[in-house]
């Protein structure tokens, strides 16, 4: 039985008491009888009218859905159906994701207060996204705004929604202050921009996802506007076709013209490769460095894959190319996969020793099962320097700050399990 077969049969429209209930029943019956197999026979004029009417109908159905959601929320339908909230009811009964459900409930509640917008949406005058823009703009007005002024603002935005798409309407809504109170608009705009800039600075983020199978890193980010414009300008300079060594306009393999987005992607790669590592802050007493591990056979032209210190594998050709670039250290292993001790006898671990430890530990804290990154960790002596412990790889490990504290505590013992891995246990 399919999920479609599992749906309970709808009650016939003729058996329904309420007009709204009966209309929706007739609508489904009409859909059941509709065939789309002959849409190819529509003339251009008929096709255009169909598209306009289906989108207007979509807006009218959205207005009906929002009205029903508002009524269900107001009459506590979720409790009747043993659901804690309207959002959970929408997820359970109509498979709407919680994020979308929250947006829908919020808009349904907002439109209860905006009769003009609700009526225009019910008439199919503009899409539901434009109604959401109007509701957000009106909700953002100061609490002290006169009701008549608020009503005028709604009339203004609803009128503009008839003539502008949602994106253009959003820009107009951003300047609503200038329409309702031109004299104080500049001061309020300045305060609003200051708040927005502070919020943007607080909420900046970056996520990266590395996919070894496709050899691709994807991600998303949000940074303040000015920083984003700076980044865009840097990428523009790298995509400039007038530079001596320009980024190719056509794909070298297929000959297909690259899109502007693809050329910016190539520019971002070049920006990362060009950035001088020495100008970045130190990471664990060393410059930020990528370590590539390969066998001697791979270095000499073999086909075995190489490995990054973060655990991902790369092709042997990529590894050999990286080995010649600044900021990348090729670590060549012997038959026992032992990293040579590159350090010298001193109190603190030097850069080659830290890189060797980072490599042995596969990029994480040396304590078994700890996944904290080792790149910025503390270089620790397994046998304390004060007790005669040497500063070499056999007696050293990169530890996260928490585990370094435990390793130095007299109540805990450190056991070396294998190169690059230790265990810390409380002494009996």
């Amino acid at each position: 039985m399919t999920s479609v077969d599992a749906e309970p049969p709808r009650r016939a429209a003729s058996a329904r008491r309420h007009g709204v209930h009966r209309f929706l029943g007739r609508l489904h019956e009409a859909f059941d009888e509709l065939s789309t197999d002959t849409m190819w026979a529509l003339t251009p004029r008929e096709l255009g009218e169909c598209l306009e009417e289906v989108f207007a109908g979509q807006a009218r159905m959205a207005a009906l859905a929002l009205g029903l959601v508002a009524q269900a929320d107001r009459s506590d339908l979720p409790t009747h159906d043993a659901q804690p909230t309207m959002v959970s009811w929408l997820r359970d009964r109509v498979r709407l994701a919680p994020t979308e459900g929250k947006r829908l409930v919020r808009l349904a509640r907002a439109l209860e207060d905006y009769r003009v917008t609700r009526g225009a949406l019910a008439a199919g005058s503009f899409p539901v996204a434009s109604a959401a823009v109007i509701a957000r703009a009106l909700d953002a007005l100061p609490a002290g705004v006169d009701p008549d002024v608020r009503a005028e603002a709604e009339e203004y935005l609803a009128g503009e929604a008839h003539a502008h798409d949602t994106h253009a309407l959003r820009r107009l809504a951003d300047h609503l202050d200038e329409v309702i109170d031109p004299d104080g608009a500049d001061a309020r705009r300045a305060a609003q921009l200051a708040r927005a800039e502070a919020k943007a600075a607080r909420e900046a983020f970056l996520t990266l996802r590395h996919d070894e199978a496709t050899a691709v890193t994807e991600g998303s980010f949000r940074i303040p506007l000015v920083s984003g414009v700076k980044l865009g300008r840097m990428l523009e300079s790298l995509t400039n076709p007038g530079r001596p060594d320009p980024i190719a306009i056509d794909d070298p393999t297929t000959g297909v013209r690259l899109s502007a987005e693809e050329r910016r992607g190539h520019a971002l790669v070049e920006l990362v490769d060009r950035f001088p590592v020495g100008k970045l802050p130190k990471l664990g007493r060393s410059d930020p460095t990528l370590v590539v591990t390969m066998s001697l056979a791979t270095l000499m032209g073999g086909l075995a894959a190489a490995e990054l210190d973060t655990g991902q594998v790369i092709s042997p050709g990529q590894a050999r190319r990286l080995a010649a670039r600044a900021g990348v250290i090729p670590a060549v292993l012997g038959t026992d996969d032992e990293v040579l001790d590159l350090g010298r006898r001193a109190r603190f671990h030097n850069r080659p020793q830290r890189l060797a430890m980072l490599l042995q530990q596969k990029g994480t804290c040396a304590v078994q099962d700890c996944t904290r990154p080792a790149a910025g960790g503390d270089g620790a002596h397994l046998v304390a320097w004060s007790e005669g412990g040497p500063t070499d790889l056999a007696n050293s490990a990169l530890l996260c700050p928490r585990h370094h504290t435990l390793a130095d505590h007299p109540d805990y013992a450190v056991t070396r399990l294998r190169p690059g891995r230790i265990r810390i246990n409380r002494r009996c």
Side-chain angles (χ1 to χ4, degrees), residues 1-10 95:
M1 177 182 290
T2 67
S3 59
V4 173
D5 296 331
E7 294 291 335
R10 289 187 294 270
R95 279 79 66 190

Side-chain angles (χ1 to χ4, degrees), residues 185-200:
D186 287 345
R188 285 193 300 273
R189 183 65 172 164
Q192 185 270 328
L193 287 173
R195 289 194 300 271
E197 288 165 355
K199 185 173 185 288

Side-chain angles (χ1 to χ4, degrees), residues 248-259 262-263:
I249 296 177
D250 299 328
D251 187 299
T253 303
T254 64
V256 175
R257 179 63 55 93
L258 295 175
S259 67
E262 290 171 320
R263 292 199 299 276

